[in-house]
Amino acid sequence: MVEAMISPSTLLIFSLASIALVVVPGPNNLYITARGISQGRAAAVASAVGVETGTLVHIAAAAAGLSYLIARSAAAFAVVKWAGAAYLVYLGIRTLTSGREATARTATGQPLHRIFLEGVVVNVLNPKVILFFLAFLPQFVDPAAGSPALQIVVLGMTLLLLGLASDMVYAVGAGTLSRLLRGRQKPLRYFSGCVYLGLGVATALAGGRTR
């Protein structure tokens, strides 16, 4: 049924284009790397899974047409953008100001379910992902080939799996680096906090029509 809707050649071209996109470091990769460097490999993997779980929300929204509505509504786009920016800034400030408490959490391990949920929220509130799904996926949808919504789901899941593979590479790399730098929690905490703040600022400055 999928092959009848999306031709193998289209799926191949989409996959190659997606690989070219996911291998380039982006906000999600930086977020996962910062988490892994400060809290280890397990935290980075939990963040990666959380981020891509958030992608499921974007896939559903794109298939339902919500991404289009949000991208075209200045008010709705602004709410998502500023909520995402505020959340990232909150994570940055919390990381930078938590002091000994953060060091203790790093040593004992922050609950993975909380790290997972934070990854979901970070991705769901990323307005650039909404615009990406709006601008990129429809280029490979053929209305004459069947349900556009189902085609978006198939393409979105393909992108999700490729993105998860890329995220895992960053997660494992960051976790390895964290182990090499073990005992230097304070500078690692500052690094992670600054990354979160930088991502928050980048989200706040995101234009209404850019990826």
Side-chain angles (χ1 to χ4, degrees), residues 69-82 208-209:
L69 295 177
I70 292 175
R72 294 302 173 187
S73 169
F77 185 85
V79 169
V80 173
K81 180 177 75 170
W82 288 109
R209 298 291 179 267

Side-chain angles (χ1 to χ4, degrees), residues 24-195:
V24 177
N28 288 340
N29 303 128
L30 293 176
Y31 171 77
I32 292 166
T33 299
R35 179 70 80 175
I37 289 177
S38 65
Q39 294 181 271
R41 182 177 299 176
V45 170
S47 292
V49 175
V51 163
E52 296 308 332
T53 300
T55 300
L56 289 174
V57 177
H58 289 293
I59 293 173
L66 295 180
S67 291
Y68 177 83
L69 295 177
I70 292 175
R72 294 302 173 187
S73 169
F77 185 85
V79 169
V80 173
K81 180 177 75 170
W82 288 109
Y87 188 70
L88 285 166
V89 170
Y90 158 73
L91 291 178
I93 294 175
R94 187 188 70 181
T95 301
L96 291 172
T97 60
S98 50
R100 293 180 180 177
E101 181 184 349
T103 301
R105 276 203 310 269
T106 301
T108 59
Q110 185 179 359
L112 293 182
H113 71 274
R114 181 174 177 179
I115 295 173
F116 166 82
L117 290 175
E118 288 183 350
V120 174
V121 173
V122 165
N123 197 18
V124 169
L125 294 180
N126 187 347
K128 291 186 178 181
V129 178
I130 295 174
L131 295 178
F132 173 76
F133 270 82
L134 177 65
F136 184 62
L137 265 66
Q139 297 181 42
F140 298 88
V141 173
D142 180 6
S147 169
L150 186 55
Q151 291 182 64
I152 288 177
V153 170
V154 173
L155 294 172
M157 290 302 299
T158 301
L159 179 62
L160 183 153
L161 293 175
L162 293 172
L164 181 60
S166 173
D167 291 343
M168 286 300 178
V169 172
Y170 282 92
V172 172
T176 301
L177 184 58
S178 175
R179 292 166 65 181
L180 294 175
L181 298 175
R182 185 173 297 168
R184 302 180 182 179
Q185 284 86 1
K186 187 173 182 179
L188 293 180
R189 176 163 54 86
Y190 285 152
F191 168 79
S192 297
C194 289
V195 169

